[in-house]
Amino acid sequence: MAIDTSVPNQKVTVPAGSILFPEGSPVNSLNVLHSGGLRYVAEGPKGRKLELFKLAGANLTPGASALFSGGRYPYSIFAEQECVLSTYVMSPSTVSKSLAARPSLGIMVGRSLLREITELFKRTNQLRKITSDLAKTNDNLSLLYYQFNPAVFPDIKPGQPIAEPGSDIVDPILRLSRENLKNYFENGGILPERPTPTYLDEEHSQQLLKYYPEELEFQDQEFNFLRKLILADPNLLAQLFSPDPSMVSYVCEKLGKVQSELTENGKGILEELEEALRFLIGGEESLTEKFYLILDMTANGYASSSPEFIVPVLQAISQKIEKALAGHQALFGSPMPAPSPNIKSFLEKTAGLAKKYEGSSPAASSNGSIGVDSSADAAAIRKELQNSASMIIQYSGLGGEAVKEFSALMVKLKSLKNPLESDNDTRKLRRLITKIYFDIYAGCFQKYLNSNKNVPKPVDLMLKYGFFDETLLDDSQLVFMSTFKDAISPPSDIPIHYGQEWLERIYRREAPTSLDELGQNFFDKVKMDNRNASFKKESDLPPDIDNPEARLKFEFAAMYESNVRLTTGSLATYLPILTKYHSQIPLGKAYVSKKMLTDAINEIVGVDFSVFSREVIYNNPELGINKEFVQRSIVPDFIIVPSIGSKVMMWQELSVHRGSGSKESRGRIVLPIFVQGDLKSLLIDAFAAFRWELCKTILGPEWNNVGNPSITADYMDYVQFYKKNKDLSIEVKEKLAAEFKRFRNERDIFANDYQLWIKYESESVQRLNRVVRGIFYRHIPFARPIREKVAKMPAFSEINNRFINIRTRKFTELENRYKKYINAIGSLPDPLRENLEFYRV
């Protein structure tokens, strides 16, 4: 029974196990704990109890947040140990006055609230990660369900439009699968030809239009300030608060509201967790039951895919099921209510089937991959690459102790069932390996340059592809890497470089160094490391500081290593060493050649012709041309690094950020050499980021000023004030409110709309609202043939007419101004002529 707090100024002793304040009960006191320990428990879905955290010690004020928000206890508080408390009658309407009268009590309340907030934040973050991991697994399983049992989806064909699930589909798993398949295929997703367990842990958020946050996004500057303030010396605080006692009550009120927000977030996450558990292991309509049928079909020889591929996935699902059951027990202290009826049978049958196929290898069925020499002798290649890891380490010149440490780590990695598991121990092991691996890579590359690129084959494969140990790869992958010869690329205006080519350009000073993750270039870093030196510009640097080796070392750490990691698109499973667990499709089909990349870029530029254009100043004193602003297309450098993944990184919009010529410098876009997904879709995302960041950089403080129209200013205005926009219906506004929550920031929202603009709107398929369509048509116009096609549609006719009028006026103005620059044979300098063509309607 809860303690009676209506008695004024009482001191009570509460035995262990007693409930002090039930969740939802009204608050009518401020309570101070003198000794003992407390347990905070929240009520979850379906009456389940979730322990949030425990606190012990004196001078705690349990449940004080209820006095500042809501007036009811947000969770139950139990006596974990025997507790001694004092209770003071108080209500939400009187608490501020009471704390202002006794600042020392207010400081105690503030510190107690901060302890509760800290523990609650830890617990909520734990729930956030568990829920996101489960949701990601469920989404990936819903895609594999289609692949393993396509007969359930007779109307769905890859590459063809998929209708929205109708109201007649009541099965939650079928609805989830259809929704995910629709988004996955429309956004360039490619299902693996040979699914592996790793696929269940991969993130396909871009293709699925989902967001899997691993922790709460909490950015409250006022809270951070007050947190530091309330932890200051109590004597100093007493002096600070005594002139204005209301300050302490304000601090407590703010902390109480923060705790209330965290509690609400936690309850929302609990509901998401309940849904995720239900999808995976809850009842007869769950993914467990769907895959139990596939398990039966596989055991009886009726499965649509090879058992060698299905069984490892079923084993991984078994592990996910067991983990979910154990996780539920650990969180709620009770078994999952009404679980899927065939869970036990699923686990037992999967284990039996795994033993049956234990010696089977899926490698044999993958030799048909594009780019593999079918006549190549896999056994001979494997023999040629025998002991590759040892050969690479020795060639790199790594120190003796580091060799010993790295060898031990690799032995441990190779002993794992799957080196890409996302558990904490495996992630820690991969981080240790990664650090030393890049020391090895850097040592090998320096020798590669010094030896005129004549290196042992394993070293060459590592530098190109991230290869390291032949035992970590299957035969088809080894055959591809050993035999594949990239065709000679025809001349192109697009600067594309493989990783070694780019590093060599930096070494030979043919390109400036990149920015690091802190936005520093080589010169910035040197100045930071030599603060006592008076270096004003790069030419001041002495040769012992500024030399090819130093620049190469900086580039390697600043750009190269970071992008090998980031282009994987899955930081939770990142390992720079290529393994058979990385690739869901044959390497030949994932490989990015220069020609393939050129074609994909040209395809996008064929829609968005101005994607790389920017306004620069053109001077030609000989012709009397002084400061003419012209549009110029400056294509970024594309760098293909040795990684495998699903992310194309827009690393920087300019290569030179200060001084003359900076606005005319190339940006840098980085790709993995093996792409897991649709290359065009990934490039479109990178181009959206490039457009956004280039506009911000060139406009500076004006990037968000609607008085100076630009794509960033107009789009930010749309995102921030869409609720007041008269051109949007109530239904559209509600849809946008839900959709915007999926994205981290405005640039990501823009990138999503840019995908729809390039893929669908350019094909006369309306996927954007009229406001966004108008903004994009003005700032991101289609190429002329596409404009002529879409202009016939009612949705485009008005904005097209407006666009023509604006462009015609601009063209006429330029044409008249340029007449004085026409030479004797009636021609203009190329920059002016190209500028006229840019504005020609």
Side-chain angles (χ1 to χ4, degrees):
M1 182 177 176
I3 61 174
D4 181 9
T5 55
S6 62
V7 180
N9 302 339
Q10 63 173 330
K11 191 171 185 178
V12 294
T13 300
V14 182
S18 302
I19 186 169
L20 301 176
F21 313 109
E23 181 175 339
S25 61
V27 60
N28 57 10
S29 64
L30 177 67
N31 313 284
V32 178
L33 180 71
H34 301 294
S35 64
L38 305 168
R39 185 163 59 96
Y40 293 69
V41 178
E43 186 167 322
K46 298 183 179 178
R48 282 172 281 187
K49 306 295 183 184
L50 172 71
E51 182 180 296
L52 295 173
F53 52 87
K54 296 177 182 178
L55 290 177
N59 299 327
L60 289 173
T61 56
S65 63
L67 288 165
F68 303 99
S69 56
R72 293 183 179 275
Y73 290 103
Y75 28 67
S76 298
I77 303 177
F78 291 84
E80 179 73 6
Q81 308 160 13
E82 183 179 83
C83 295
V84 178
L85 298 100
S86 289
T87 67
Y88 303 95
V89 175
M90 209 170 291
S91 68
S93 61
T94 62
V95 64
S96 296
K97 186 176 180 181
S98 299
L99 296 184
R102 293 182 59 189
S104 60
L105 180 60
I107 294 170
M108 182 195 300
V109 172
R111 291 189 166 191
S112 182
L113 286 169
L114 191 57
R115 284 189 66 182
E116 292 180 349
I117 288 171
T118 302
E119 295 302 320
L120 185 59
F121 190 73
K122 290 178 186 176
R123 187 58 154 170
T124 308
N125 265 342
Q126 181 193 28
L127 292 173
R128 178 71 278 167
K129 185 173 188 323
I130 292 170
T131 303
S132 291
D133 286 346
L134 267 174
K136 180 168 62 177
T137 296
N138 290 342
D139 287 332
N140 292 342
L141 282 174
S142 73
L143 298 174
L144 289 185
Y145 179 51
Y146 161 75
Q147 188 164 15
F148 286 160
N149 196 7
V152 180
F153 308 88
D155 58 317
I156 293 181
K157 306 293 180 186
Q160 297 182 9
I162 300 174
E164 292 279 356
S167 57
D168 56 318
I169 300 176
V170 294
D171 187 315
I173 302 303
L174 290 180
R175 175 171 286 275
L176 177 69
S177 292
R178 284 182 170 274
E179 289 172 350
N180 282 340
L181 287 165
K182 175 179 172 59
N183 290 328
Y184 191 72
F185 289 142
E186 285 183 355
N187 289 287
I190 300 175
L191 289 172
E193 289 190 8
R194 42 178 190 157
T196 69
T198 312
Y199 189 81
L200 301 185
D201 293 316
E202 288 187 353
E203 185 170 314
H204 304 108
S205 55
Q206 289 184 322
Q207 291 83 17
L208 293 171
L209 304 181
K210 298 287 181 77
Y211 179 39
Y212 307 111
E214 293 199 351
E215 58 183 31
L216 288 178
E217 293 183 0
F218 185 75
Q219 295 179 345
D220 189 325
Q221 293 181 345
E222 184 184 6
F223 166 74
N224 290 330
F225 171 75
L226 296 180
R227 177 177 62 84
K228 294 177 182 178
L229 178 67
I230 203 69
L231 291 176
D233 187 312
N235 294 325
L236 292 176
L237 289 178
Q239 295 177 31
L240 176 66
F241 293 144
S242 58
D244 186 1
S246 65
M247 289 175 63
V248 70
S249 60
Y250 175 80
V251 171
C252 293
E253 184 178 347
K254 173 64 180 179
L255 294 177
K257 287 180 179 177
V258 168
Q259 188 173 348
S260 177
E261 289 172 11
L262 273 177
T263 303
E264 288 303 310
N265 278 332
K267 290 181 178 179
I269 294 170
L270 276 176
E271 291 177 2
E272 291 180 41
L273 178 61
E274 162 69 13
E275 182 181 59
L277 287 167
R278 180 168 51 82
F279 272 124
L280 182 62
I281 55 174
E284 297 182 356
E285 293 180 335
S286 67
L287 284 160
T288 296
E289 294 302 304
K290 301 299 184 189
F291 278 89
Y292 183 70
L293 295 176
I294 293 171
L295 171 63
D296 266 351
M297 291 163 61
T298 305
N300 295 323
Y302 296 114
S304 60
S305 299
S306 169
E308 286 82 1
F309 295 142
I310 297 180
V311 172
V313 175
L314 292 174
Q315 284 182 282
I317 296 172
S318 290
Q319 293 172 6
K320 297 287 185 185
I321 291 171
E322 290 177 325
K323 186 176 178 180
L325 291 171
H328 187 282
Q329 182 70 40
L331 283 173
F332 300 107
S334 62
M336 174 78 180
S340 303
N342 288 302
I343 282 183
K344 184 178 179 182
S345 183
F346 185 101
L347 300 176
E348 292 172 351
K349 284 189 176 183
T350 300
L353 205 58
K355 287 184 179 179
K356 179 179 177 181
Y357 290 97
E358 196 166 8
S360 302
S361 170
S365 63
S366 60
N367 286 336
S369 301
I370 295 173
V372 174
D373 182 356
S374 58
S375 65
D377 186 344
I381 289 172
R382 190 172 284 278
K383 186 175 181 181
E384 180 188 8
L385 296 175
Q386 193 170 3
N387 296 322
S388 289
S390 176
M391 191 182 304
I392 292 170
I393 292 171
Q394 290 178 21
Y395 187 82
S396 71
L398 193 68
E401 286 301 316
V403 169
K404 193 181 298 183
E405 179 188 357
F406 189 72
S407 300
L409 293 171
M410 285 299 296
V411 168
K412 190 172 181 181
L413 183 83
K414 290 163 69 173
S415 69
L416 299 175
K417 191 171 183 179
N418 182 354
L420 302 185
E421 286 286 351
S422 57
D423 62 277
N424 288 334
D425 290 340
T426 308
R427 291 172 78 167
K428 184 178 179 181
L429 175 63
R430 288 197 300 266
R431 281 197 297 271
L432 294 172
I433 287 173
T434 296
K435 185 178 183 302
I436 304 176
Y437 168 81
F438 277 112
D439 292 337
I440 294 171
Y441 191 105
C444 287
F445 184 77
Q446 188 64 64
K447 287 192 173 183
Y448 165 86
L449 289 177
N450 297 340
S451 65
N452 198 25
K453 306 178 185 178
N454 183 21
V455 295
K457 189 165 188 175
V459 174
D460 184 52
L461 296 182
M462 179 187 72
L463 296 177
K464 284 182 180 176
Y465 305 117
F467 165 84
F468 193 79
D469 189 319
E470 78 283 356
T471 64
L472 293 173
L473 296 155
D474 64 31
D475 287 349
S476 68
Q477 294 168 328
L478 291 175
V479 168
F480 171 81
M481 288 187 287
S482 295
T483 63
F484 179 75
K485 301 293 182 185
D486 202 351
I488 297 175
S489 303
S492 171
D493 294 333
I494 302 172
I496 300 174
H497 322 271
Y498 288 119
Q500 305 115 287
E501 297 172 344
W502 179 256
L503 291 176
E504 189 174 355
R505 281 176 60 81
I506 297 295
Y507 184 80
R508 302 191 189 286
R509 298 194 72 152
E510 295 170 2
T513 55
S514 302
L515 301 182
D516 63 15
E517 290 183 286
L518 298 177
Q520 296 178 316
N521 61 17
F522 176 72
F523 183 57
D524 295 331
K525 185 69 165 59
V526 169
K527 286 201 299 181
M528 183 71 69
D529 294 342
N530 299 270
R531 296 184 181 183
N532 296 328
S534 56
F535 302 133
K536 301 297 183 184
K537 50 187 184 296
E538 281 198 30
S539 58
D540 295 337
L541 300 178
D544 62 319
I545 292 179
D546 185 6
N547 53 59
E549 288 75 18
R551 285 179 170 268
L552 179 62
K553 183 179 179 181
F554 174 82
E555 183 73 7
F556 200 83
M559 186 281 287
Y560 204 77
E561 184 178 338
S562 298
N563 279 286
V564 170
R565 180 182 81 252
L566 294 170
T567 52
T568 63
S570 180
L571 303 185
T573 60
Y574 168 62
L575 178 69
I577 295 171
L578 186 62
T579 73
K580 61 188 173 185
Y581 301 96
H582 277 92
S583 183
Q584 306 305 317
I585 56 178
L587 293 185
K589 291 188 176 180
Y591 180 79
V592 178
S593 67
K594 289 186 178 181
K595 184 182 184 307
M596 182 192 305
L597 179 54
T598 300
D599 291 344
I601 294 169
N602 286 333
E603 189 177 347
I604 300 170
V605 174
V607 178
D608 181 5
F609 72 97
S610 63
V611 61
F612 302 130
S613 295
R614 67 195 72 166
E615 197 171 61
V616 299
I617 296 175
Y618 171 62
N619 292 308
N620 191 332
E622 294 179 2
L623 298 176
I625 300 173
N626 184 35
K627 290 188 177 180
E628 282 286 356
F629 288 93
V630 298
Q631 288 287 339
R632 183 179 166 197
S633 179
I634 302 171
V635 183
D637 282 304
F638 289 85
I639 305 161
I640 304 173
V641 296
S643 70
I644 179 167
S646 58
K647 183 74 175 174
V648 173
M649 290 299 301
M650 197 293 293
W651 188 245
Q652 54 193 87
E653 69 283 1
L654 300 173
S655 54
V656 180
H657 278 74
R658 290 186 292 274
S660 62
S662 60
K663 290 184 180 179
E664 297 180 51
S665 62
R666 298 183 186 276
R668 286 174 191 176
I669 293 177
V670 189
L671 306 87
I673 196 164
F674 297 115
V675 166
Q676 302 289 287
D678 179 55
L679 178 60
K680 180 181 174 183
S681 297
L682 299 178
L683 283 172
I684 291 173
D685 266 342
F687 288 3
F690 177 81
R691 264 193 172 280
W692 188 269
E693 294 303 324
L694 183 66
C695 188
K696 286 181 66 175
T697 299
I698 289 179
L699 293 180
E702 292 291 297
W703 77 275
N704 196 16
N705 179 9
V706 289
N708 182 17
S710 66
I711 183 62
T712 51
D714 290 353
Y715 196 83
M716 284 290 291
D717 184 66
Y718 152 71
V719 172
Q720 291 174 350
F721 302 109
Y722 73 92
K723 291 181 179 179
K724 299 179 181 179
N725 199 312
K726 296 178 181 178
D727 292 328
L728 299 174
S729 66
I730 295 175
E731 293 78 9
V732 169
K733 290 175 183 178
E734 289 176 351
K735 184 179 179 182
L736 289 175
E739 190 169 325
F740 287 172
K741 291 179 181 178
R742 293 195 293 110
F743 302 100
R744 293 181 177 90
N745 51 48
E746 289 83 0
R747 194 184 84 173
D748 288 348
I749 301 172
F750 169 75
N752 181 65
D753 283 346
Y754 184 74
Q755 282 271 2
L756 301 177
W757 182 248
I758 299 297
K759 287 184 176 180
Y760 296 100
E761 296 278 335
S762 65
E763 296 292 332
S764 304
V765 178
Q766 296 175 33
R767 297 292 296 275
L768 298 173
N769 63 62
R770 60 182 301 183
V771 176
V772 175
R773 187 178 297 114
I775 294 171
F776 277 27
Y777 207 92
R778 179 180 183 182
H779 297 291
I780 312 176
F782 295 132
R784 188 179 297 123
I786 298 176
R787 291 203 306 269
E788 292 172 352
K789 180 181 67 175
V790 301
K792 300 171 184 177
M793 298 181 60
F796 286 92
S797 59
E798 183 181 343
I799 55 177
N800 181 66
N801 290 336
R802 192 182 310 129
F803 174 83
I804 289 174
N805 292 335
I806 294 171
R807 284 297 178 107
T808 300
R809 283 197 302 270
K810 181 71 173 177
F811 180 85
T812 303
E813 175 195 332
L814 293 174
E815 191 175 37
N816 291 333
R817 191 161 77 240
Y818 290 172
K819 284 179 181 179
K820 58 186 175 183
Y821 303 133
I822 297 176
N823 61 20
I825 60 173
S827 63
L828 282 169
D830 286 345
L832 299 185
R833 179 180 51 78
E834 290 167 2
N835 195 46
L836 269 180
E837 283 302 313
F838 181 86
Y839 288 103
R840 189 186 297 276
V841 177

